[in-house]
Amino acid sequence: AQSVTQLGSHVSVSEGALVLLRCNYSSSVPPYLFWYVQYPNQGLQLLLKYTSAATLVKGINGFEAEFKKSETSFHLTKPSAHMSDAAEYFCAVSENSSASKIIFGSGTRLSIRP
Amino acid sequence: KAGVTQTPRYLIKTRGQQVTLSCSPISGHRSVSWYQQTPGQGLQFLFEYFSETQRNKGNFPGRFSGRQFSNSRSEMNVSTLELGDSALYLCASSFRVGQETQYFGPGTRLLVL
C-alpha cells in the first residue's frame, strides 16, 4: 500500500533562506510523485511531478525536488525563500496516474519571516 | 484558457439537508475528479468521471454521489448532510483518465450547522 509522510506540519524560514520541505513515501512499485501548493482559499496548484524520468525535477516558482529511491524521499527545495511562497504544500504519491490512486500527505504550512 | 470553475464558492447548510456542487472543467478536458479536504482527514479522493461514466470511487458512504454531463461538467451531491461533511470540496480536471497532471479548481467550502 502506498503512503506519504510529510515531516513537519509547519516550517518557518526567513526571507532569502533555503526552503526544505520533507516528504517520504512508501510504494510497492515505481511511483509517480507530486508536490502541490495551496494558497489560502484556493485550490491546489501543481508545482512539479516525478514520473521516472530525471531524478531532479524542476518546477514552477523556482522549486525543485529530487527523487532518491534509496531513501524513499522526494524533498522539495528552493534556494531563496520569498514572501509569496507562504502557503501549504502537499506531497502526493501514486502508483499510476489515475486520480483514484493518488495519496496526499497531510501538508506542511510554510511561513516566511521578513 | 479558463481554469476549472466551481460553484458556489461558499455554502451553509443544516444537518439533514442535501447539497449539490458544480464543477466546470478546463475546455477540452474530459476527466473530472472530486476530493474532500478537511483538517482532520486531509485530502481524500471522492470520485473520478470520464465521458459521463464514473471510473473510480473513493471510500465514502452512498450519501455522496456524482454525475458528469455530455459537456464534461460535473456535479456532486451529498444527501442527509452531517456535521462531519463540513469541508472544502475540490474538483480537478485532466484531459483524460489516467493523466497525471490534474488542474484544480478553487473549491467549494461547505459548512454544515
Side-chain angles (χ1 to χ4, degrees), chain B residues 8-23:
Chain B
R9 290 293 311 277
Y10 303 93
L11 206 49
I12 299 176
K13 292 284 187 180
T14 56
R15 280 181 299 173
Q17 288 187 308
Q18 69 96 24
V19 66
T20 300
L21 311 181
S22 180
C23 171

Side-chain angles (χ1 to χ4, degrees), chain A residues 56-99:
Chain A
L56 181 63
V57 183
K58 293 188 183 298
I60 61 171
N61 302 339
F63 284 93
E64 61 182 37
E66 186 172 8
F67 172 68
K68 292 188 176 180
K69 184 178 178 180
S70 61
E71 299 177 8
T72 60
S73 69
F74 190 59
H75 302 331
L76 182 71
T77 59
K78 181 174 181 178
S80 178
H82 192 273
M83 296 299 291
S84 61
D85 294 327
E88 186 138 22
Y89 292 79
F90 292 90
C91 180
V93 64
S94 175
E95 293 183 348
N96 59 45
S97 50
S98 171

Side-chain angles (χ1 to χ4, degrees), chain B residues 22-97:
Chain B
S22 180
C23 171
S24 293
I26 290 172
S27 178
H29 285 192
R30 297 172 62 193
S31 177
V32 173
S33 300
W34 288 89
Y35 296 84
Q36 182 195 64
Q37 185 178 23
T38 60
Q41 300 297 319
L43 277 153
Q44 294 185 286
F45 170 77
L46 279 157
F47 351 84
E48 182 177 26
Y49 285 89
F50 181 79
S51 292
E52 304 176 64
T53 302
Q54 188 180 91
R55 301 296 173 138
N56 292 290
K57 188 177 191 304
N59 189 26
F60 278 81
R63 300 184 297 107
F64 291 81
S65 63
R67 59 179 175 168
Q68 186 180 35
F69 301 95
S70 58
N71 62 358
S72 295
R73 188 177 70 86
S74 177
E75 289 181 347
M76 67 163 283
N77 184 78
V78 188
S79 62
T80 320
L81 283 166
E82 300 177 359
L83 295 180
D85 297 332
S86 295
L88 180 67
Y89 290 88
L90 293 165
C91 166
S93 78
S94 59
F95 184 67
R96 59 182 183 273
V97 170

